[in-house]
Amino acid sequence: MTTMLWAVAIGMTITAVWRLPAFRRGDPMQRALWACSAAFAATVWCRVPQVKQALDNSPVTDLSALLKYLTSLVAILAGLRYITAVYGEPLGGSDRHIAMSRRISHVAHTCALAAMVVQVVLFFTVVDRSHPSTDFASAQAGQWGGALFLTIQYTYLGVAAATCCYQWARAARRAEKRALRIGLALMATAMAIYTIYPVLRTVTMWIPPEVSALTMRTVADSVNMVVACLWAAGAAIPSTMALSTRWNAWRALQKLRPLWSDLMAAFPHLALQRPGARITESLRCTPSLDVRLDRRTQEIAGGIELLRHHASPDLLSVAEDLAESHEDPEAAAEAYWIRAAQQSQKSGRRCAVPSRRVREKPLTSAIAEANWLARVAAVPVPDLLVQLLHQQAGEPPIDTALQSGGQSSAATWA
């Protein structure tokens, strides 16, 4: 049991540390999720025998019990705030369950401070703490002071947990993504256990069962470990999806960098932020990955649009013909066209009338556009192929203004 407690405590602590950046972003939902993780971690740590012994050997007898119950209360409150933040404001009669949950959450948070103060007062006045207890609840069973202290705790936790269970179970049934549905179901199961468990514990406080304190503590530890594991697993599944999305966005940024940096060197006025060292860009935290990816795809699209002035009218048709034998002909045709137009731009050649646009693609999101451009950037275009393209399609006339402007300093990509 001790090993399991250590494992769960460390796991919950890692989850809280992992979510710590969300505390600085100002998002109420993510901050509530972090607070719930951190408070659950603190609750489990108070049950670890070594930590419990250290706290109970302090001048305050059974200090671990007080901290355990207060932190578990904070965890449930944070979980309640998280679920109300997920759904936002109710929009109509169909959102009656959301309005009800928000009212319960408001009452719970309004009464939270009073409940904690009452518990602290009871703990230091009427609760019998003459001797350190193996299991606080079992030691206080049958004593009105301790029973009242824990009745307040268990009633509060039971109502809050029931609210979370109701909302998460409802959301799990309606979730479109399977991973999110599983995650919400696990979190709802954890809250269902926390709804039933306080009722049973309240009964045992006023009507003590004929079992040892060690048995009751083992049961309590087992229940809390199960709840912590279910909740952590449920919260981690959507988080893993988000982490995978961020990883894919970061990889897309790296794949687009050669094409983007080349176009921004040719058309620097398009770049909101000039290309820097690869390692510097890899470690950059602001703006967010999705914003940077969206910006980069827009800047690349702007650069490709300007290349139309440096492509001959027949260049795209010739590029498509030469790309027919390629394993990815559509991406190869666009890559050939971009590379040949870049070469003309660096040579100071320009058409008064832009050539026709590259073919439109049914792309519905920034990540889809980024994936397409990554396919284009991955196609190698040797110099001999560029020469063949120019031979068959011709080149725009030389523009003396471009030559004198020093536009030929752009880097090449392959």
PDB file of all heavy atoms in Angstrom, residues 211-234:
ATOM      1  N   VAL A 211     -14.855  -2.691  13.242  1.00  0.00           N
ATOM      2  CA  VAL A 211     -13.642  -3.047  12.497  1.00  0.00           C
ATOM      3  C   VAL A 211     -12.494  -2.215  13.053  1.00  0.00           C
ATOM      4  O   VAL A 211     -12.703  -1.185  13.696  1.00  0.00           O
ATOM      5  CB  VAL A 211     -13.798  -2.794  10.976  1.00  0.00           C
ATOM      6  CG1 VAL A 211     -14.867  -3.695  10.386  1.00  0.00           C
ATOM      7  CG2 VAL A 211     -14.124  -1.335  10.708  1.00  0.00           C
ATOM      8  N   SER A 212     -11.271  -2.661  12.778  1.00  0.00           N
ATOM      9  CA  SER A 212     -10.105  -1.975  13.313  1.00  0.00           C
ATOM     10  C   SER A 212      -9.834  -0.681  12.552  1.00  0.00           C
ATOM     11  O   SER A 212     -10.268  -0.495  11.410  1.00  0.00           O
ATOM     12  CB  SER A 212      -8.876  -2.889  13.218  1.00  0.00           C
ATOM     13  OG  SER A 212      -8.540  -3.141  11.857  1.00  0.00           O
ATOM     14  N   ALA A 213      -9.079   0.207  13.187  1.00  0.00           N
ATOM     15  CA  ALA A 213      -8.700   1.464  12.551  1.00  0.00           C
ATOM     16  C   ALA A 213      -7.832   1.222  11.332  1.00  0.00           C
ATOM     17  O   ALA A 213      -7.915   1.945  10.329  1.00  0.00           O
ATOM     18  CB  ALA A 213      -7.959   2.351  13.557  1.00  0.00           C
ATOM     19  N   LEU A 214      -6.978   0.192  11.408  1.00  0.00           N
ATOM     20  CA  LEU A 214      -6.106  -0.118  10.273  1.00  0.00           C
ATOM     21  C   LEU A 214      -6.927  -0.543   9.058  1.00  0.00           C
ATOM     22  O   LEU A 214      -6.622  -0.146   7.920  1.00  0.00           O
ATOM     23  CB  LEU A 214      -5.128  -1.239  10.670  1.00  0.00           C
ATOM     24  CG  LEU A 214      -4.113  -1.636   9.586  1.00  0.00           C
ATOM     25  CD1 LEU A 214      -3.256  -0.450   9.182  1.00  0.00           C
ATOM     26  CD2 LEU A 214      -3.239  -2.789  10.087  1.00  0.00           C
ATOM     27  N   THR A 215      -7.992  -1.313   9.298  1.00  0.00           N
ATOM     28  CA  THR A 215      -8.851  -1.732   8.181  1.00  0.00           C
ATOM     29  C   THR A 215      -9.543  -0.534   7.545  1.00  0.00           C
ATOM     30  O   THR A 215      -9.604  -0.402   6.314  1.00  0.00           O
ATOM     31  CB  THR A 215      -9.902  -2.735   8.666  1.00  0.00           C
ATOM     32  OG1 THR A 215      -9.254  -3.881   9.212  1.00  0.00           O
ATOM     33  CG2 THR A 215     -10.822  -3.154   7.524  1.00  0.00           C
ATOM     34  N   MET A 216     -10.054   0.375   8.361  1.00  0.00           N
ATOM     35  CA  MET A 216     -10.722   1.562   7.835  1.00  0.00           C
ATOM     36  C   MET A 216      -9.754   2.452   7.061  1.00  0.00           C
ATOM     37  O   MET A 216     -10.104   3.018   6.022  1.00  0.00           O
ATOM     38  CB  MET A 216     -11.361   2.350   8.982  1.00  0.00           C
ATOM     39  CG  MET A 216     -12.522   1.628   9.651  1.00  0.00           C
ATOM     40  SD  MET A 216     -13.872   1.235   8.496  1.00  0.00           S
ATOM     41  CE  MET A 216     -14.372   2.881   8.004  1.00  0.00           C
ATOM     42  N   ARG A 217      -8.520   2.537   7.562  1.00  0.00           N
ATOM     43  CA  ARG A 217      -7.534   3.360   6.854  1.00  0.00           C
ATOM     44  C   ARG A 217      -7.182   2.723   5.515  1.00  0.00           C
ATOM     45  O   ARG A 217      -7.008   3.415   4.512  1.00  0.00           O
ATOM     46  CB  ARG A 217      -6.282   3.523   7.709  1.00  0.00           C
ATOM     47  CG  ARG A 217      -5.185   4.292   6.971  1.00  0.00           C
ATOM     48  CD  ARG A 217      -4.119   4.821   7.887  1.00  0.00           C
ATOM     49  NE  ARG A 217      -3.091   5.522   7.128  1.00  0.00           N
ATOM     50  CZ  ARG A 217      -3.216   6.754   6.666  1.00  0.00           C
ATOM     51  NH1 ARG A 217      -4.344   7.423   6.869  1.00  0.00           N
ATOM     52  NH2 ARG A 217      -2.247   7.322   6.006  1.00  0.00           N
ATOM     53  N   THR A 218      -7.060   1.395   5.505  1.00  0.00           N
ATOM     54  CA  THR A 218      -6.748   0.716   4.237  1.00  0.00           C
ATOM     55  C   THR A 218      -7.855   0.956   3.215  1.00  0.00           C
ATOM     56  O   THR A 218      -7.590   1.209   2.040  1.00  0.00           O
ATOM     57  CB  THR A 218      -6.571  -0.790   4.478  1.00  0.00           C
ATOM     58  OG1 THR A 218      -5.514  -1.004   5.417  1.00  0.00           O
ATOM     59  CG2 THR A 218      -6.235  -1.503   3.183  1.00  0.00           C
ATOM     60  N   VAL A 219      -9.108   0.886   3.682  1.00  0.00           N
ATOM     61  CA  VAL A 219     -10.235   1.143   2.783  1.00  0.00           C
ATOM     62  C   VAL A 219     -10.197   2.576   2.271  1.00  0.00           C
ATOM     63  O   VAL A 219     -10.382   2.842   1.070  1.00  0.00           O
ATOM     64  CB  VAL A 219     -11.568   0.861   3.503  1.00  0.00           C
ATOM     65  CG1 VAL A 219     -12.754   1.317   2.650  1.00  0.00           C
ATOM     66  CG2 VAL A 219     -11.697  -0.614   3.836  1.00  0.00           C
ATOM     67  N   ALA A 220      -9.949   3.526   3.182  1.00  0.00           N
ATOM     68  CA  ALA A 220      -9.910   4.938   2.788  1.00  0.00           C
ATOM     69  C   ALA A 220      -8.788   5.201   1.791  1.00  0.00           C
ATOM     70  O   ALA A 220      -8.973   5.901   0.787  1.00  0.00           O
ATOM     71  CB  ALA A 220      -9.737   5.815   4.026  1.00  0.00           C
ATOM     72  N   ASP A 221      -7.601   4.649   2.056  1.00  0.00           N
ATOM     73  CA  ASP A 221      -6.471   4.827   1.128  1.00  0.00           C
ATOM     74  C   ASP A 221      -6.775   4.221  -0.237  1.00  0.00           C
ATOM     75  O   ASP A 221      -6.457   4.808  -1.278  1.00  0.00           O
ATOM     76  CB  ASP A 221      -5.208   4.191   1.715  1.00  0.00           C
ATOM     77  CG  ASP A 221      -4.631   4.994   2.861  1.00  0.00           C
ATOM     78  OD1 ASP A 221      -5.005   6.173   2.997  1.00  0.00           O
ATOM     79  OD2 ASP A 221      -3.813   4.439   3.629  1.00  0.00           O
ATOM     80  N   SER A 222      -7.391   3.054  -0.227  1.00  0.00           N
ATOM     81  CA  SER A 222      -7.713   2.385  -1.491  1.00  0.00           C
ATOM     82  C   SER A 222      -8.700   3.215  -2.307  1.00  0.00           C
ATOM     83  O   SER A 222      -8.534   3.389  -3.524  1.00  0.00           O
ATOM     84  CB  SER A 222      -8.288   0.995  -1.225  1.00  0.00           C
ATOM     85  OG  SER A 222      -7.358   0.187  -0.515  1.00  0.00           O
ATOM     86  N   VAL A 223      -9.730   3.739  -1.646  1.00  0.00           N
ATOM     87  CA  VAL A 223     -10.722   4.551  -2.353  1.00  0.00           C
ATOM     88  C   VAL A 223     -10.080   5.803  -2.938  1.00  0.00           C
ATOM     89  O   VAL A 223     -10.306   6.148  -4.110  1.00  0.00           O
ATOM     90  CB  VAL A 223     -11.871   4.934  -1.406  1.00  0.00           C
ATOM     91  CG1 VAL A 223     -12.770   5.997  -2.042  1.00  0.00           C
ATOM     92  CG2 VAL A 223     -12.688   3.712  -1.044  1.00  0.00           C
ATOM     93  N   ASN A 224      -9.264   6.481  -2.145  1.00  0.00           N
ATOM     94  CA  ASN A 224      -8.649   7.712  -2.640  1.00  0.00           C
ATOM     95  C   ASN A 224      -7.659   7.443  -3.768  1.00  0.00           C
ATOM     96  O   ASN A 224      -7.537   8.256  -4.700  1.00  0.00           O
ATOM     97  CB  ASN A 224      -7.951   8.445  -1.487  1.00  0.00           C
ATOM     98  CG  ASN A 224      -8.918   9.218  -0.623  1.00  0.00           C
ATOM     99  OD1 ASN A 224      -9.286  10.348  -0.930  1.00  0.00           O
ATOM    100  ND2 ASN A 224      -9.339   8.609   0.468  1.00  0.00           N
ATOM    101  N   MET A 225      -6.938   6.330  -3.709  1.00  0.00           N
ATOM    102  CA  MET A 225      -6.019   5.995  -4.793  1.00  0.00           C
ATOM    103  C   MET A 225      -6.768   5.690  -6.081  1.00  0.00           C
ATOM    104  O   MET A 225      -6.369   6.113  -7.173  1.00  0.00           O
ATOM    105  CB  MET A 225      -5.131   4.816  -4.395  1.00  0.00           C
ATOM    106  CG  MET A 225      -4.001   5.176  -3.455  1.00  0.00           C
ATOM    107  SD  MET A 225      -2.779   3.854  -3.329  1.00  0.00           S
ATOM    108  CE  MET A 225      -3.780   2.553  -2.640  1.00  0.00           C
ATOM    109  N   VAL A 226      -7.871   4.964  -5.952  1.00  0.00           N
ATOM    110  CA  VAL A 226      -8.668   4.658  -7.142  1.00  0.00           C
ATOM    111  C   VAL A 226      -9.209   5.941  -7.762  1.00  0.00           C
ATOM    112  O   VAL A 226      -9.157   6.145  -8.983  1.00  0.00           O
ATOM    113  CB  VAL A 226      -9.814   3.689  -6.786  1.00  0.00           C
ATOM    114  CG1 VAL A 226     -10.802   3.566  -7.949  1.00  0.00           C
ATOM    115  CG2 VAL A 226      -9.258   2.328  -6.425  1.00  0.00           C
ATOM    116  N   VAL A 227      -9.734   6.830  -6.914  1.00  0.00           N
ATOM    117  CA  VAL A 227     -10.263   8.100  -7.412  1.00  0.00           C
ATOM    118  C   VAL A 227      -9.163   8.920  -8.083  1.00  0.00           C
ATOM    119  O   VAL A 227      -9.353   9.472  -9.172  1.00  0.00           O
ATOM    120  CB  VAL A 227     -10.911   8.899  -6.261  1.00  0.00           C
ATOM    121  CG1 VAL A 227     -11.223  10.326  -6.711  1.00  0.00           C
ATOM    122  CG2 VAL A 227     -12.183   8.209  -5.797  1.00  0.00           C
ATOM    123  N   ALA A 228      -8.009   8.995  -7.426  1.00  0.00           N
ATOM    124  CA  ALA A 228      -6.909   9.772  -7.993  1.00  0.00           C
ATOM    125  C   ALA A 228      -6.452   9.201  -9.330  1.00  0.00           C
ATOM    126  O   ALA A 228      -6.212   9.945 -10.292  1.00  0.00           O
ATOM    127  CB  ALA A 228      -5.735   9.807  -7.005  1.00  0.00           C
ATOM    128  N   CYS A 229      -6.342   7.895  -9.419  1.00  0.00           N
ATOM    129  CA  CYS A 229      -5.899   7.263 -10.674  1.00  0.00           C
ATOM    130  C   CYS A 229      -6.913   7.465 -11.788  1.00  0.00           C
ATOM    131  O   CYS A 229      -6.552   7.785 -12.927  1.00  0.00           O
ATOM    132  CB  CYS A 229      -5.652   5.773 -10.448  1.00  0.00           C
ATOM    133  SG  CYS A 229      -4.199   5.407  -9.433  1.00  0.00           S
ATOM    134  N   LEU A 230      -8.200   7.267 -11.471  1.00  0.00           N
ATOM    135  CA  LEU A 230      -9.233   7.454 -12.480  1.00  0.00           C
ATOM    136  C   LEU A 230      -9.268   8.897 -12.962  1.00  0.00           C
ATOM    137  O   LEU A 230      -9.371   9.169 -14.170  1.00  0.00           O
ATOM    138  CB  LEU A 230     -10.603   7.071 -11.915  1.00  0.00           C
ATOM    139  CG  LEU A 230     -10.872   5.578 -11.718  1.00  0.00           C
ATOM    140  CD1 LEU A 230     -12.200   5.375 -10.987  1.00  0.00           C
ATOM    141  CD2 LEU A 230     -10.901   4.859 -13.059  1.00  0.00           C
ATOM    142  N   TRP A 231      -9.189   9.824 -12.028  1.00  0.00           N
ATOM    143  CA  TRP A 231      -9.250  11.234 -12.410  1.00  0.00           C
ATOM    144  C   TRP A 231      -8.023  11.636 -13.226  1.00  0.00           C
ATOM    145  O   TRP A 231      -8.149  12.324 -14.250  1.00  0.00           O
ATOM    146  CB  TRP A 231      -9.349  12.116 -11.163  1.00  0.00           C
ATOM    147  CG  TRP A 231      -9.676  13.541 -11.509  1.00  0.00           C
ATOM    148  CD1 TRP A 231     -10.903  14.101 -11.602  1.00  0.00           C
ATOM    149  CD2 TRP A 231      -8.733  14.565 -11.815  1.00  0.00           C
ATOM    150  NE1 TRP A 231     -10.796  15.405 -11.966  1.00  0.00           N
ATOM    151  CE2 TRP A 231      -9.475  15.723 -12.100  1.00  0.00           C
ATOM    152  CE3 TRP A 231      -7.345  14.613 -11.889  1.00  0.00           C
ATOM    153  CZ2 TRP A 231      -8.879  16.925 -12.442  1.00  0.00           C
ATOM    154  CZ3 TRP A 231      -6.744  15.806 -12.254  1.00  0.00           C
ATOM    155  CH2 TRP A 231      -7.494  16.955 -12.507  1.00  0.00           C
ATOM    156  N   ALA A 232      -6.848  11.210 -12.791  1.00  0.00           N
ATOM    157  CA  ALA A 232      -5.626  11.559 -13.527  1.00  0.00           C
ATOM    158  C   ALA A 232      -5.643  10.961 -14.929  1.00  0.00           C
ATOM    159  O   ALA A 232      -5.265  11.615 -15.906  1.00  0.00           O
ATOM    160  CB  ALA A 232      -4.398  11.080 -12.753  1.00  0.00           C
ATOM    161  N   ALA A 233      -6.093   9.710 -15.032  1.00  0.00           N
ATOM    162  CA  ALA A 233      -6.161   9.075 -16.346  1.00  0.00           C
ATOM    163  C   ALA A 233      -7.165   9.782 -17.243  1.00  0.00           C
ATOM    164  O   ALA A 233      -6.914  10.022 -18.426  1.00  0.00           O
ATOM    165  CB  ALA A 233      -6.524   7.599 -16.200  1.00  0.00           C
ATOM    166  N   GLY A 234      -8.316  10.124 -16.681  1.00  0.00           N
ATOM    167  CA  GLY A 234      -9.324  10.818 -17.477  1.00  0.00           C
ATOM    168  C   GLY A 234      -8.872  12.181 -17.943  1.00  0.00           C
ATOM    169  O   GLY A 234      -9.131  12.580 -19.084  1.00  0.00           O
TER     170      GLY A 234
END
